[in-house]
Amino acid sequence: MRRHCAKLLNPTSPPCLEAVGLGRPAPILEFPMDTARTITDLIFAGTLVRYPDIRVIVPHAGGALTAVAERIAGFSTLPFLQKRPQGGQEEVNKVLASLYYDLAGSASDGAIERLRRLTSLTHVLFGCDFPFTPASGIDANVDGFEKLRGLTAAEHEGIASGNARQLFPRLASK
């Protein structure tokens, strides 16, 4: 049976947070790394190619994924890896471009520029990370989103709501 759905990923703290976190809260490093690791695992296992009708929403502007995307693509062709994308770098880049990315806690010009290199801005959604983020964090993210530079009015509106309406057509009439 083919599934046609959208799946929002959300990172979590590793069981060894006390040992590796050095007292820092997990959202600083562990969440962005967990996100990148999860997407990398899905790509190398071929899951996202086998199930193209599952549209994945990657949180926090992709976490560390945007910083290591070229590295992931480059390593995808190593012959000694038993599980790797059959289509190599081209497949990795295509899959990364097909994902959706929310801006929860990440609405900044830098995040937008990194996402532009990875995907189309039609695959970027505004997100607030409620209920995990306190109101002050959500307010700061909304403020950051309102102050984004380098976007056309259509791109800004698309990220604010239009792209989500495309992703979830039943919401388009609401």
Side-chain angles (χ1 to χ4, degrees):
M1 177 188 245
R2 300 198 58 80
R3 302 285 182 210
H4 296 273
C5 66
K7 168 68 177 144
L8 172 65
L9 299 179
N10 206 47
T12 190
S13 302
C16 59
L17 179 61
E18 280 106 32
V20 299
L22 303 175
R24 293 180 297 258
I28 294 175
L29 288 175
E30 302 312 317
F31 287 7
M33 297 302 181
D34 186 56
T35 298
R37 184 177 297 108
T38 299
I39 294 298
T40 302
D41 290 346
L42 290 169
I43 290 171
F44 275 67
T47 304
L48 299 174
V49 171
R50 274 194 315 278
Y51 302 102
D53 293 328
I54 298 176
R55 295 158 315 209
V56 176
I57 304 169
V58 185
H60 312 126
L65 190 59
T66 58
V68 296
E70 290 177 3
R71 185 176 182 88
I72 295 165
F75 276 69
S76 70
T77 59
L78 294 177
F80 59 83
L81 295 175
Q82 290 185 4
K83 287 188 175 182
R84 66 178 184 269
Q86 296 302 305
Q89 293 183 23
E90 185 177 322
E91 180 178 313
V92 171
N93 292 331
K94 184 178 177 183
V95 169
L96 291 174
S98 75
L99 302 174
Y100 289 81
Y101 300 85
D102 83 19
L103 294 179
S106 305
S108 70
D109 292 323
I112 292 295
E113 290 312 309
R114 289 186 298 275
L115 288 169
R116 276 187 199 273
R117 291 192 295 270
L118 204 59
T119 190
S120 161
L121 290 185
T122 62
H123 281 235
V124 179
L125 313 164
F126 182 77
C128 68
D129 219 13
F130 177 82
F132 306 106
T133 298
S136 61
I138 293 171
D139 290 344
N141 200 49
V142 169
D143 186 55
F145 178 70
E146 290 173 347
K147 292 179 179 174
L148 288 174
R149 295 172 292 165
L151 294 176
T152 66
E155 289 170 333
H156 201 273
E157 174 57 31
I159 294 169
S161 64
N163 299 342
R165 288 189 179 108
Q166 290 293 319
L167 184 59
F168 300 103
R170 64 184 172 80
L171 300 178
S173 64
K174 306 270 182 211

